[in-house]
Structure formats: structure tokens, C-alpha cells
Amino acid sequence: MPRLITPPADEEARAIDLDALVDWCESPAFDPSCEDGLAAAAPMLRALARNRHFLADAAVAELKTRCADQRRFNPYSAQVMLLRPPGGKYVLRAAFWPAVTDHVVRASGTAPFLYHVPHDHGFDFLTIGYLGPGYGSDYHVYDPAGVAGADGEQVPLRFTGRSWLSEGRMLLYRANRDIHAQLPPERLSVSLNILASPAGQGWRRQYRFDTDRGAIAQGMTIASAQMLLELAVGCGDGDALDLADQFARHHPHDAMRLTAWSAIGDSLAGDARLTHWDAGASSDHGLIRAASRRALASLHYG
């Protein structure tokens, strides 16, 4: 279960504005590269959550400019309001959690909000309930050591309970460790987040889980470079195939090595394709080995 962050008895019950939080996060006092460093931001985030006007003021300011900053800097969906443009080591945001009776859910369903979808995160983040009863979560935890990250891979999961992110409740989610299946709140709720954004974050993987089977159901993230490589190889470019071969053998990130290997396999036909997947099935790279064995099974029995 995510780490529950409770305020010490002697913590000053003060409220701050958004600028004060940003100033602190930009200072040497804040190091979100480790769990304890991110947890050190808890008193500041809690102080911002006591400010009951800042988010409405920020929303009004955005509306007056037709959400210019959100359209320019926000990489997330409409569910998320970016509180400051990303500065490097962290991201500040507010997330909105509608109830099933709210118009947006009746119009678009629950899928955009990942309700009832067990998933982890590829980054550590600190979150606090700001408004409303908060979304619920059924929690599982897993040990990422030895997990390759292949679709269908068996992963020992441990159920750790259910709770709701009520106003003032603060949790620290640990990257590729804490899994939650979120449940819609009884009424519209808002959470405030500080996300760690370390170097190489774009290559960190996030997974959807099948908690009944104890397995990774699907990888949920892909870097733009992976899509570009698939496009180039799919267009039949010889240089792209050479680059894919280099990436499959030597790229420092597992996800790109798998993408490159799979792109090569998908570009081949007949015996060449079978030979490629046969070679991958005995690879010492866990993701390539798992993907190749699935491809062979599909070729033989599909």
C-alpha cells in the first residue's frame, strides 16, 4: 500500500500560496530523486492544501486566457490541471475525479479516468485529497526485482486493502511497486500531486495488471522514439532496419530494445521471420525472450 504520510503533532497548521510551494520546490531543500526526499515536501503540500482558494483562483485565471498555459504546457488530459510548467525535477498538478453521476462520466464513461483499472506508476508521487470525499483504491503491492515487464508475465501480487483519498489524507506512491484500482468518488473530488521527474523518466514503464491472475496485463507507456522507430521500419527503410538492429542489441533501455526487436520481426516474412523469433526465444533479455515466445506460439497455433 502507498506510504501514509501523517503530520507530526508539532507541525504548524499554516496555509501557503502556490508560489511559496514552487519556491520551496525550486530550492536545494527539495530532492525528489528518492522516497524520503519526496516525502520531505509533505508539510509544504499540506500547507497548500489548507489554502481553500488558490485552485479556484488559478482556474479562473486560466479561463480568462482561454486556458493558454494549459494548452501550451499541459501534456495530460483534461482531467489534469498543470499548476506550473514542468521545471525538470518535479511536476505540480491537480487531478479531478468525477462521480459516476457527473455529466462528464455519463457522456464519456469511466475509461478516461482509469476507474476499476489496476495499474502502477512509473514515478514516485505525493498526493493529498484537496476537495470532496476522494476516489477510492483497492491496493496491491509487488516487488519489481526480477520483473521483466512483458505482457502476460506472472507477478506475485499482495492485496493490502482499500481506502479513500479524503480531504487532508496524504499518500506517497512508490514507482513500480504500488498498484491501485481506483473507484469513483461519491461526488466530484480533487487531489493535489507532486510528481518526481528524474532523468530518464520517459523510459520508465507503467503497467496495467490482471489482479485475478496475478499478471501484467499490458504495458501502458511508450516513448515517442519507439513510435518513430516502428514507423521507420514499417515503411521499409533499410537504414531504419540497421538502426533497429543496433538498438535491439545495445540500447540502454529495455523498452526500446524490445520495440526494435519486434519491429524487425514484424518486417520479415516466411522462414526469416521464424528464424528471428526462434533466436529471440533464447535471448538473455527477458522482454525479448517473452515476446518472441508469444510470437512463436502465435505463428504455430494462431
Side-chain angles (χ1 to χ4, degrees), residues 70-95:
Q70 297 299 310
R71 289 187 283 108
R72 182 178 179 186
F73 298 111
N74 191 344
Y76 303 102
S77 69
Q79 181 196 8
V80 171
M81 180 178 176
L82 202 63
L83 299 178
R84 280 291 191 277
K89 63 181 180 179
Y90 68 95
V91 175
L92 296 178
R93 68 183 191 183

Side-chain angles (χ1 to χ4, degrees), residues 100 110 113-119 136 138 180-184 209:
V100 293
T110 60
F113 309 100
L114 291 184
Y115 290 150
H116 308 293
V117 177
H119 63 281
D138 285 331
H180 67 154
Q182 290 165 284
L183 312 172
F209 287 84

Side-chain angles (χ1 to χ4, degrees), residues 7-13:
D10 60 349
E11 183 176 298
E12 181 184 357

Side-chain angles (χ1 to χ4, degrees), residues 77-189:
S77 69
Q79 181 196 8
V80 171
M81 180 178 176
L82 202 63
L83 299 178
R84 280 291 191 277
K89 63 181 180 179
Y90 68 95
V91 175
L92 296 178
R93 68 183 191 183
F96 306 97
W97 305 99
V100 293
T101 53
D102 287 339
H103 173 75
V104 67
V105 175
R106 289 186 283 111
S108 64
T110 60
F113 309 100
L114 291 184
Y115 290 150
H116 308 293
V117 177
H119 63 281
D120 67 353
H121 297 270
F123 47 82
D124 296 330
F125 72 99
L126 192 64
T127 186
I128 188 169
Y130 180 71
L131 182 70
Y135 63 81
S137 289
D138 285 331
Y139 291 108
H140 289 77
V141 68
Y142 75 104
D143 184 355
V147 173
D151 292 357
E153 180 180 354
Q154 295 292 305
V155 178
L157 306 180
R158 180 167 57 89
F159 179 69
T160 56
R162 173 181 288 188
S163 69
W164 300 83
L165 193 67
S166 54
E167 289 183 20
R169 182 176 173 85
M170 181 178 287
L171 298 172
L172 193 156
Y173 283 79
R174 300 164 296 174
N176 298 126
R177 190 170 185 86
D178 293 311
I179 300 167
H180 67 154
Q182 290 165 284
L183 312 172
E186 292 182 357
R187 64 179 186 276
L188 178 66
S189 299

Side-chain angles (χ1 to χ4, degrees), residues 230-241 267:
E230 289 182 337
L231 173 64
V233 172
C235 289
D237 186 275
D239 289 341
L241 276 171
S267 73

